Amino acid sequence: QVQLVESGGGLVQPGGSLRLSCAASGFTLNGYAIGWFRQAPGKEREGVSCINTSGGSIRYADSVKGRFTVSRDNAKNTVNLQMNSLKLEDTAVYYCAAGLRCFGLVLGGQSYWGQGTQVTVSS
């Protein structure tokens, strides 16, 4: 079965860290560009990061630049999103998606989406 599954979400205090993982089954992630997105309650979904197939081209939203880092782990067939210095406004459901190519934060040729993982930043 082809699917993407996010994990690693949870409750963290402001200034804390979380590491999200996007794991694939049924296909190989390193052949796809991977986008991370988030959607907060009452807000539209926004792009957080996008990494192209080679991993050499990575884009971040201005709101997370310098705090979030995306990386590929080809051995585990995952893409990880390390989130540091978390802020209250980072609270959202985070999704990963696999596609053909990143155009900035826009993921072209979207093929697969995960179900999302909740990140809550609260004191």
Side-chain angles (χ1 to χ4, degrees), residues 5-74:
V5 178
E6 302 94 338
S7 62
L11 174 64
V12 64
Q13 292 185 337
S17 297
L18 282 174
R19 185 169 177 262
L20 305 184
S21 288
C22 175
S25 59
F27 68 104
T28 303
L29 276 182
N30 64 9
Y32 290 81
I34 303 299
W36 282 97
F37 303 84
R38 66 186 181 185
Q39 188 166 20
K43 294 187 177 181
E44 292 188 354
R45 187 178 65 197
E46 64 173 344
V48 174
S49 177
C50 203
I51 180 170
N52 265 317
T53 53
S54 66
S57 173
I58 304 173
R59 288 291 185 95
Y60 297 98
D62 287 343
S63 58
V64 306
K65 204 172 292 183
R67 300 188 297 121
F68 290 13
T69 303
V70 67
S71 61
R72 291 184 178 272
D73 187 337
N74 292 332

Side-chain angles (χ1 to χ4, degrees), residues 11-15 86-88 91 120-123:
L11 174 64
V12 64
Q13 292 185 337
L86 284 161
K87 304 177 180 180
L88 297 175
T91 295
T120 302
V121 185
S122 175
S123 55

